Amino acid sequence: MVRRAVATVILVVLVCIVLLPLAWIALSSFKSRLVLLASPPVLLFTPTLENYATAISSHGLISNVVVSTVVALVSSLVAVGLGYPAASALAPMTRPVGRHVLFLILTTRLVPAVALGLPLFHLYRELGLLDTVTGLTLAHSAFNLSFAVWMLVAFFKQLSPEIYQAAALDGLGPMAVARVLARPMRPAVLAVGLFCAVLSWDELFLGSILTTSAAQPLTVGVLGLITSQGTYWGQVCVFATVSLIPALAMGVLLRRASGALLSLGTLEMEERD
Amino acid sequence: MSLTVGLRNITVRLPGVHGKGLVSLLNDVSFEAPASRVTAIVGPSGSGKTTMLRVVAGLIRPTTGQVLLGEKDISRVPASERDVAMAFQSFALYPGHTVRYNLEVPLAARGVPRKQRRKDVDEMLGRLGLDRRAGYRIEALSGGEQQRVALGRALIRRPRVLLLDEPMSSVDPAQRRALVTLLRELLAKEPKPTTLLVTHDWAETSALAEHVVMIEGGRLLQQGSVREILYQPQSLAVLDLSASPFANRVGGLERTSGSACLLQTEGGLSVESSAPLDGDRFTCAFEPDALQTSEHGFPARVCSHRPVNHVEVLEVEISGQRLFAVAEGSESIGTTVRLAFHGPGQVADASGQVVARIQRLWSEPT
């Protein structure tokens, strides 16, 4: 009993340590400029939407949110849509060629982003894709794809390999197998899709290289608030708060999905006496 | 239309743990399963039974040797094009889907029209006794029901070759009886598939199979009809695979100086073999029902008794040997009964090869 209480206290303290900065940022987004920069920090103040108004009117908050949302949604859909059949075909491969292909896919993530960012910049300039939502979506899709394939392969491997063998004997081709397995794999697909969306939502480096204004996502928009004249701290807090909301929502969804994921590996043995 | 299934000099070697060395799973195995019949592949755990099935199915490519379907070498034909169906030991049903869907997949994959598919599935559901489960998800079924779906999925497309991997391993005795009946029905339906049944259970073999292939340690021990295996076993290993829990093994038999056919234990148990023997140490093997109570028999002391399948199995002591025999009624512990050897029984040499039958067995009172 005592140990439980101690554990609870420790957990609450840890949660506070993690959440306090986030809460502070959210709180600060409602402070006026004077209150925000006051030292020592002020806890009690009259909330104002002033920062939100200027973020929308002069810093393009709405357009940034739209870009981030579209890019996150489309790139994760593309990554999962292409990654799912690829993973379904790669997972049961026992011959070395399967492992080689998987490793090749992994190498795209081993290369530092800088090394890919600059060639991509030149390529995009030639193709006229710089500062376009299409261009950013394409780049995010490519980066998410390798991640999606690896995650999904791990989930597919939780299924008994005999299911693949049964499917082969039943006469199913690789695409048909992927279709048949879509139902048990649904929670995994959902989880990987969410992960991809979070990764895209949080991505900064490619965004900062490939976009300048029109196709700026939120993360890049924040950078624009740090200027040579000074930093718009109020607006920074607004951007941070807005970008937190979907991230938190996806976190909650992921937690829900993980329950279904845990049971994926036990599908086989369930209900057998 | 059914064809024989043959393995010719099949050897399977796979890389060992951490890729070190090669593990030999099958060693130069050859056999032929007669067309439209059930052939049991019997062997202890880890003997390579399932590997043999997988080689026939095309799920494992043999290191050397050929897989034959009729006269045709199908060693290079991929699994999906072999017209071979398999019921897996783990069932390997499609998770998250209904019973109906699972049965429909092999038909849909072969382009059977929707209407015909429905008809076939309904018919199969009826045979399996799963009419009321058609819309259930696989996960909601009991082990016995999943087993039946697995059999149905393998049979529904009427394959020329059917592979059954330990179909009885996960059902209780009552379900097992029902499953044996069901399998006999399903397999008797024309066109009869050429069936390979992997099992380690002799009761299952004698209930379902006509032809038997015995293997151990990746090597073929013996093949033949159920009758041949039972009455003309070639080695103790084969006997062990078909033996009852009470089977007798008398070791330490030595040839007496007088005759090439006369064997004796140190205690004084004597055996006369059907043929003259070479060598010096022998083992003889026989089931309890080869040794029965008889007025004119030799004496034996009763150590315990228990009813088994409506006969009384006695554990008796004869010349220092504990043996199992069969009595008509129950006998009290400690009394002396008279036993006579009726056969059959086998004499094996030191290498385990059966070299003769037991002609007579008796005990010399000391």
Side-chain angles (χ1 to χ4, degrees):
Chain A
M1 204 57 200
V2 175
R3 277 172 62 176
R4 245 188 103 86
V6 171
T8 311
V9 170
I10 292 176
L11 274 176
V12 167
V13 170
L14 284 176
V15 167
C16 286
I17 292 173
V18 173
L19 287 185
L20 206 65
L22 301 183
W24 189 253
I25 286 176
L27 212 61
S28 300
S29 70
F30 296 102
K31 288 175 177 173
S32 66
R33 189 170 169 77
L34 272 176
V35 180
L36 187 67
L37 297 175
S39 178
V42 180
L43 271 177
L44 291 171
F45 61 94
T46 337
T48 160
L49 287 172
E50 181 187 308
N51 293 328
Y52 284 84
T54 40
I56 290 168
S57 62
S58 37
H59 298 290
L61 175 67
I62 300 289
S63 126
N64 286 173
V65 168
V66 170
V67 168
S68 276
T69 309
V70 169
V71 172
L73 276 179
V74 177
S75 73
S76 53
L77 278 178
V78 169
V80 171
L82 294 177
Y84 177 77
S88 167
L90 282 169
M93 281 194 155
T94 46
R95 268 182 266 165
V97 65
R99 282 203 305 272
H100 293 328
V101 170
L102 261 180
F103 185 73
L104 257 164
I105 291 173
L106 183 67
T107 51
T108 61
R109 295 204 77 91
L110 296 179
V111 178
V114 193
L116 288 170
L118 291 176
L120 211 54
F121 175 80
H122 284 286
L123 188 67
Y124 270 34
R125 200 170 51 185
E126 295 298 315
L127 295 171
L129 284 170
L130 274 185
D131 203 22
T132 62
V133 177
T134 317
L136 190 61
T137 307
L138 262 176
H140 279 194
S141 302
F143 271 79
N144 273 340
L145 182 57
S146 56
F147 174 77
V149 170
W150 266 80
M151 289 269 288
L152 285 169
V153 162
F155 283 121
F156 272 112
K157 289 209 168 185
Q158 289 184 24
L159 294 172
S160 152
E162 292 199 331
I163 290 180
Y164 280 101
Q165 297 170 354
L169 290 174
D170 277 349
L172 298 181
M175 277 315 270
V177 175
R179 255 201 314 279
V180 168
L181 294 180
R183 189 171 291 193
M185 293 300 288
R186 206 156 41 183
V189 169
L190 187 73
V192 173
L194 282 170
F195 266 119
C196 287
V198 171
L199 282 182
S200 165
W201 184 266
D202 293 345
E203 205 279 332
L204 170 66
F205 182 76
L206 283 175
S208 65
I209 287 187
L210 301 176
T211 66
T212 45
S213 59
Q216 252 186 10
L218 262 177
T219 45
V220 181
V222 178
L223 281 188
L225 297 171
I226 304 161
T227 68
S228 50
Q229 278 88 43
T231 303
Y232 298 96
W233 283 114
Q235 284 71 29
V236 168
C237 290
V238 168
F239 273 64
T241 308
V242 170
S243 67
L244 267 177
I245 296 166
L248 283 177
M250 287 193 254
V252 172
L253 276 176
L254 266 182
R255 223 186 98 76
R256 288 248 181 95
S258 68
L261 287 178
L262 285 177
S263 67
L264 189 70
T266 58
L267 269 179
E268 291 297 286
M269 302 309 289
E270 237 176 12
E271 298 286 338
R272 203 186 289 178
D273 40 19
Chain B
M1 190 42 198
S2 274
L3 296 167
T4 57
V5 171
L7 294 188
R8 195 178 284 166
N9 308 110
I10 290 285
T11 296
V12 174
R13 290 196 199 94
L14 292 180
V17 187
H18 308 308
K20 279 179 195 151
L22 285 171
V23 183
S24 214
L25 297 180
L26 288 178
N27 236 316
D28 197 24
V29 171
S30 300
F31 81 91
E32 185 164 280
S36 306
R37 298 262 187 280
V38 180
T39 300
I41 301 174
V42 185
S45 308
S47 56
K49 311 186 286 283
T50 301
T51 308
M52 272 169 86
L53 275 202
R54 288 169 176 276
V55 167
V56 174
L59 300 173
I60 294 179
R61 182 169 285 193
T63 314
T64 59
Q66 291 168 307
V67 184
L68 303 170
L69 186 61
E71 298 292 306
K72 210 177 124 209
D73 180 4
I74 56 164
S75 312
R76 305 267 153 204
V77 178
S80 50
E81 290 160 30
R82 286 195 180 184
D83 200 7
V84 169
M86 179 160 171
F88 289 82
Q89 194 181 359
S90 70
F91 311 150
L93 297 167
Y94 301 120
H97 291 285
T98 62
V99 172
R100 175 175 292 281
Y101 182 94
N102 268 275
L103 292 176
E104 217 175 325
V105 166
L107 297 175
R110 278 173 175 69
V112 177
R114 187 176 294 267
K115 239 179 142 183
Q116 180 67 34
R117 247 154 49 195
R118 248 200 120 67
K119 209 180 126 234
D120 287 358
V121 171
D122 283 337
E123 193 197 321
M124 183 53 83
L125 283 167
R127 292 173 165 278
L128 300 172
L130 291 171
D131 311 74
R132 288 150 177 275
R133 294 277 188 270
Y136 281 45
R137 289 222 264 160
I138 289 304
E139 289 81 8
L141 301 186
S142 73
E145 287 169 332
Q146 291 191 12
Q147 177 69 75
R148 277 183 275 160
V149 178
L151 287 175
R153 183 179 64 174
L155 275 160
I156 195 158
R157 61 182 166 96
R158 309 234 170 88
R160 281 194 295 192
V161 179
L162 175 68
L163 310 175
L164 304 173
D165 194 358
E166 308 219 8
M168 313 284 177
S169 59
S170 58
V171 292
D172 62 43
Q175 287 179 321
R176 194 162 96 143
R177 240 193 80 236
L179 206 57
V180 165
T181 314
L182 175 69
L183 260 175
R184 290 177 69 109
E185 267 172 40
L186 291 171
L187 296 178
K189 193 176 175 249
E190 298 290 344
K192 290 188 198 168
T194 304
T195 304
L196 294 182
L197 163 79
V198 157
T199 177
H200 50 71
D201 183 40
W202 185 253
E204 212 172 296
T205 306
S206 48
L208 291 166
E210 289 139 276
H211 193 79
V212 183
V213 177
M214 294 270 195
I215 64 168
E216 191 181 66
R219 284 172 198 281
L220 201 81
L221 289 174
Q222 191 178 348
Q223 57 176 317
S225 67
V226 173
R227 194 173 296 278
E228 276 166 18
I229 298 287
L230 213 50
Y231 291 110
Q232 292 152 34
Q234 285 169 2
S235 61
L236 281 179
V238 169
L239 274 165
D240 284 338
L241 287 170
S242 59
S244 77
F246 298 106
N248 291 303
R249 296 284 183 273
V250 181
L253 285 160
E254 281 175 42
R255 219 141 45 97
T256 54
S257 48
S259 156
C261 291
L262 214 56
L263 305 170
Q264 257 179 343
T265 65
E266 250 176 51
L269 190 71
S270 305
V271 169
E272 190 189 319
S273 72
S274 61
L277 301 170
D278 275 337
D280 41 32
R281 287 188 85 77
F282 298 90
T283 302
C284 70
F286 53 94
E287 289 290 325
D289 55 8
L291 199 57
Q292 293 181 3
T293 47
S294 157
E295 274 178 49
H296 310 292
F298 51 89
R301 198 173 59 82
V302 178
C303 305
S304 75
H305 56 89
R306 74 204 80 198
V308 177
N309 293 338
H310 307 292
V311 292
E312 203 70 22
V313 170
L314 305 178
E315 187 185 6
V316 294
E317 197 193 310
I318 308 165
S319 312
Q321 292 270 345
R322 288 280 178 113
L323 294 173
F324 289 104
V326 163
E328 274 160 28
S330 84
E331 304 282 347
S332 324
I333 292 169
T335 55
T336 300
V337 291
R338 291 194 163 268
L339 297 171
F341 183 82
H342 294 279
Q346 278 77 31
V347 180
D349 64 12
S351 70
Q353 286 301 304
V354 170
V355 286
R357 278 176 290 110
I358 303 174
Q359 200 74 34
R360 283 199 305 144
L361 181 146
W362 71 98
S363 161
E364 302 276 2
T366 42

